Amino acid sequence: MIISNLNKAFGNVVVLENFCLELPDSGVVAFMSPSGSGKTTLIRILAGIEKADGGEANVCKKKLSMVFQENRLLPGVTAAGNVMSVLKKGTTREEMAISWLDKMGIKTASHLFPRQLSGGMQRRLSIARAMAYGGDLMILDEPFTGLDTATRKRIYPHIFDETRSKRLTILVTHDRAEAESIADRLIVMGGPPLCVLEDIHLNQQR
């Protein structure tokens, strides 16, 4: 993915100014930056939620899946139904949904509604739904908020190891240790306007 000369301003505040970045077609890339630097705006542009004032990011032909900072679950649908909602109709639809719930450690809650789940379980459900949907590009915006360390480590392999060679995954995090343990590449940014301060290829250091 090539991000070329992206520009975005909100009134007099310039958030992106000729921002450029080249990302691989697969692997895990972690984005880190302080709040208010412009990272969220960049992510929203890549996801097609926000429109840039100028420049280009060639993601329009990619199937995109995203975990937002909010869970955004369907309240009147069971956990299994939430995951099934992003799957094509077919005989294996329920089986695939249950499989992803199992990988996230919430298989026994498949029949429950979001309101019946704890905050951590809701978070894992939102991850399960995004993973089931799949695609060429996955954006995980602070996906592990509210999850304890043991739970995180248990679900990491299913999110990253199983999909690392299949797609580009962008992990937005404030936890450098977490990023360095998971990602192939860590991009530390500052701003506004958003700029790259460090670009570390972690897999070369392991």
Side-chain angles (χ1 to χ4, degrees):
M1 179 197 303
I2 298 176
I3 302 170
S4 179
N5 297 314
L6 277 188
N7 291 282
K8 182 66 180 181
F10 296 97
N12 295 325
V13 179
V14 178
V15 180
L16 299 174
E17 185 174 28
N18 295 321
F19 183 84
C20 299
L21 186 64
E22 186 170 349
L23 298 174
D25 292 329
S26 61
V28 182
V29 178
F31 285 1
M32 282 189 63
S33 74
S35 298
S37 60
K39 175 182 73 266
T40 298
T41 298
L42 172 63
I43 291 301
R44 289 173 62 85
I45 290 173
L46 296 181
I49 300 170
E50 196 81 53
K51 187 176 180 180
D53 296 335
E56 183 178 3
N58 60 341
V59 296
C60 58
K61 294 183 179 180
K62 293 183 179 293
K63 179 183 176 182
L64 181 144
S65 187
M66 185 167 180
V67 175
F68 295 87
Q69 290 186 14
E70 312 83 19
N71 294 319
R72 302 194 180 193
L73 299 172
L74 300 173
V77 181
T78 64
N82 263 273
V83 180
M84 289 171 63
S85 69
V86 301
L87 297 172
K88 293 181 179 179
K89 292 183 178 180
T91 55
T92 62
R93 188 168 169 233
E94 184 174 2
E95 181 181 331
M96 289 177 63
I98 297 298
S99 175
W100 273 110
L101 292 176
D102 189 27
K103 291 174 181 178
M104 294 298 109
I106 53 174
K107 178 181 177 179
T108 57
S110 62
H111 64 292
L112 299 179
F113 294 91
R115 66 179 180 276
Q116 298 173 298
L117 304 177
S118 68
M121 294 173 76
Q122 290 182 27
R123 197 65 185 146
R124 281 181 279 167
L125 175 55
S126 68
I127 294 172
R129 182 175 59 183
M131 296 302 298
Y133 182 69
D136 308 302
L137 172 63
M138 180 164 291
I139 299 176
L140 308 177
D141 192 359
E142 299 286 350
F144 307 120
T145 301
L147 301 183
D148 60 59
T149 301
T151 300
R152 293 183 185 203
K153 290 184 176 180
R154 187 166 59 247
I155 66 177
Y156 282 165
H158 302 299
I159 300 173
F160 301 108
D161 295 353
E162 290 188 11
T163 63
R164 193 179 301 271
S165 63
K166 298 178 182 178
R167 64 171 67 92
L168 170 62
T169 299
I170 297 175
L171 169 66
V172 180
T173 180
H174 285 95
D175 189 333
R176 182 159 187 150
E178 179 177 74
E180 290 179 344
S181 70
I182 294 171
D184 303 305
R185 183 174 166 191
L186 170 60
I187 300 175
V188 181
M189 305 178 193
L194 192 67
C195 62
V196 175
L197 301 177
E198 297 180 79
D199 191 343
I200 308 167
H201 290 263
L202 297 164
N203 58 340
Q204 297 178 4
Q205 299 180 1
R206 294 172 182 165

